[in-house]
Amino acid sequence: MSYFRKDHEIHDRRLGRNLGVLGVLAALIAIVFGLTVVKITSGQPVQGFDHVVRPELMETAE
Amino acid sequence: MSDASFENTSTGEASFGDYFALLKPRVMSLVVFTALVGLLVAPVSVHPFVGFCAILFIAIGAGASGALNMWWDADIDQVMRRTQKRPIPAGKVAPEEALAIGLALSGFSVIFLALATNLFAAFLLAFTIFFYAVVYSVWLKRSTPQNIVIGGAAGAFPPMIGWAAATGGVSLESVLMFALIFMWTPPHFWALALFMKSDYDDAGVPMLTVTHGRKTTRAHILIYTLLLAPVAIGAGLTSIGGPVYLAAAVVMNAWFVKGAFDIWRRDEDIATDDGYAVEKSFFKFSLLYLFLHFGALLAEAALRSFGLGGWG
């Protein structure tokens, strides 16, 4: 039968691990978001989800 | 059951730091530095955020190969004093966890590097992970005293990956940066092996000092140092070099070759008498050697951005 007091060191370790995972996930979101913004803003005009440069879009952009 | 019985963390209660230690953070710092130089000296500029992500993914890939290495080498890590405190032999992280983390981070880093930069850089990163985890750790480390030489290639790839992340290809310059680290690794590690009392032998890892003796090791240090010098100086004549790098390279290589000659001339009796002073100073200088070479390349790139540096 296991019983942990609240202040057991193992709880600190779990908390640290959970906070670490939280930090990693937050960083991943920030990176994916940041990369998306950079790729879209520095890319050429694309249409829909084809990810192919469409010259006609460049002409109509004026 | 008392609380004390939970002190053994093999219950799966490792801390976040234990998992991070699987990624060999100290090795990662060298990877970050050389990959960053490779990226910054490339003739194609990269968006700063993309560059940051590229270095991050290269570092994660290097960390992943470190975790795979620790999974494979857990048995010998337990025998050697230097590695006994690593997370797996210390009982903090289960071997299967290390394998899972290594594989997951390998896939993650390669895919994300491809998305952030290009397929070629991602391929190089995947090859580097494969080279370190399989070619070095699994095939060579325990079977040949040349393990250091061939394994050094894994540590030499990061600047090439950084360069590929920016340019999408390979060139003479990136190959020379690779060759610089590749040729530097054997003298660096063999100098350490001469003065560090190691228990590689107990672990069944063939080291040149044990298999071929210390005299041969001293000769090998000299040979590799002589081969390293033209590579290091030659890089100064390419588009990433310049007067600053060339001057630094000539001075450092002259000093390095002199140190290797001194090591070669000595025998064990003399070395024991002065506590391996020459070998120790050669090893210390080798760290500075690599740092300053890549630092000088970075300085040339910085000067070029102000219209200075380079060869005009």
Side-chain angles (χ1 to χ4, degrees):
Chain A
M1 180 71 188
S2 62
Y3 172 72
F4 299 132
R5 287 194 310 269
K6 270 289 175 196
D7 58 349
H8 194 285
E9 185 263 341
I10 209 167
H11 292 104
D12 293 338
R13 238 183 297 159
R14 280 184 186 163
L15 178 66
R17 211 170 54 198
N18 292 340
L19 288 176
V21 172
L22 177 71
V24 168
L25 290 175
L28 182 66
I29 292 168
I31 284 167
V32 172
F33 180 70
L35 271 177
T36 307
V37 171
V38 170
K39 291 278 175 188
I40 289 176
T41 53
S42 63
Q44 291 169 295
V46 292
Q47 191 173 53
F49 296 99
D50 58 2
H51 294 266
V52 173
V53 177
R54 300 292 292 265
E56 69 270 23
L57 283 183
M58 294 160 82
E59 288 165 12
T60 55
E62 290 174 8
Chain B
M1 190 178 274
S2 71
D3 287 353
S5 60
F6 285 91
E7 291 304 313
N8 184 345
T9 48
S10 59
T11 50
E13 295 292 349
S15 70
F16 189 77
D18 294 325
Y19 291 114
F20 187 65
L22 283 176
L23 310 183
K24 299 192 176 180
R26 283 172 66 187
V27 177
M28 234 195 234
S29 61
L30 179 70
V31 168
V32 166
F33 176 60
T34 56
L36 182 68
V37 172
L39 185 97
L40 292 177
V41 302
V44 182
S45 69
V46 177
H47 188 285
F49 189 74
V50 174
F52 164 78
C53 288
I55 300 300
L56 180 69
F57 300 142
I58 295 169
I60 292 173
S65 65
L68 293 172
N69 168 271
M70 284 205 202
W71 165 72
W72 181 258
D73 278 346
D75 57 335
I76 56 176
D77 282 353
Q78 205 153 26
V79 178
M80 297 193 291
R81 244 179 314 127
R82 184 176 66 86
T83 52
Q84 272 169 354
K85 288 185 178 164
R86 283 181 175 175
I88 300 175
K92 291 175 178 170
V93 174
E96 301 77 38
E97 285 181 291
L99 175 63
I101 288 172
L103 290 175
L105 289 183
S106 297
F108 168 83
S109 59
V110 170
I111 291 170
F112 268 73
L113 186 63
L115 292 171
T117 60
N118 57 70
L119 277 176
F120 182 71
F123 164 78
L124 263 185
L125 180 63
F127 181 74
T128 305
I129 295 169
F130 170 78
F131 197 92
Y132 186 67
V134 179
V135 177
Y136 170 69
S137 301
V138 178
W139 293 344
L140 297 171
K141 186 172 175 181
R142 304 179 196 207
S143 59
T144 166
Q146 295 297 316
N147 48 19
I148 293 292
V149 180
I150 306 158
F157 275 115
M160 257 184 117
I161 307 174
W163 179 280
T167 64
V170 181
S171 70
L172 175 68
E173 289 84 353
S174 71
V175 171
L176 282 172
M177 284 191 285
F178 169 90
L180 179 61
I181 304 179
F182 181 69
M183 300 304 295
W184 165 89
T185 308
H188 167 76
F189 274 108
W190 284 330
L192 179 71
L194 280 175
F195 67 81
M196 271 283 282
K197 176 129 183 61
S198 149
D199 30 19
Y200 274 119
D201 210 23
D202 301 335
V205 177
M207 288 299 279
L208 195 67
T209 43
V210 176
T211 58
H212 290 68
R214 289 162 170 269
K215 194 172 161 48
T216 311
T217 306
R218 290 172 185 279
H220 273 65
I221 289 176
L222 178 61
I223 293 165
Y224 275 92
T225 308
L226 288 172
L227 292 172
L228 168 65
V231 171
I233 294 170
L237 304 172
T238 64
S239 72
I240 56 173
V244 173
Y245 174 88
L246 195 62
V250 167
V251 171
M252 282 189 285
N253 281 280
W255 192 252
F256 210 42
V257 167
K258 184 192 171 295
F261 259 115
D262 290 343
I263 286 182
W264 176 65
R265 278 209 310 255
R266 284 151 66 86
D267 59 24
E268 284 309 303
D269 293 338
I270 303 170
T272 315
D273 284 348
D274 66 7
Y276 290 90
V278 173
E279 289 80 1
K280 283 178 182 171
S281 73
F282 181 85
F283 174 76
K284 276 186 200 159
F285 180 71
S286 72
L287 291 166
L288 191 68
Y289 175 98
L290 195 69
F291 180 75
L292 288 182
H293 270 87
F294 277 86
L297 288 176
L298 205 55
E300 288 287 357
L303 285 171
R304 266 195 296 278
S305 65
F306 293 106
L308 303 163
W311 296 110

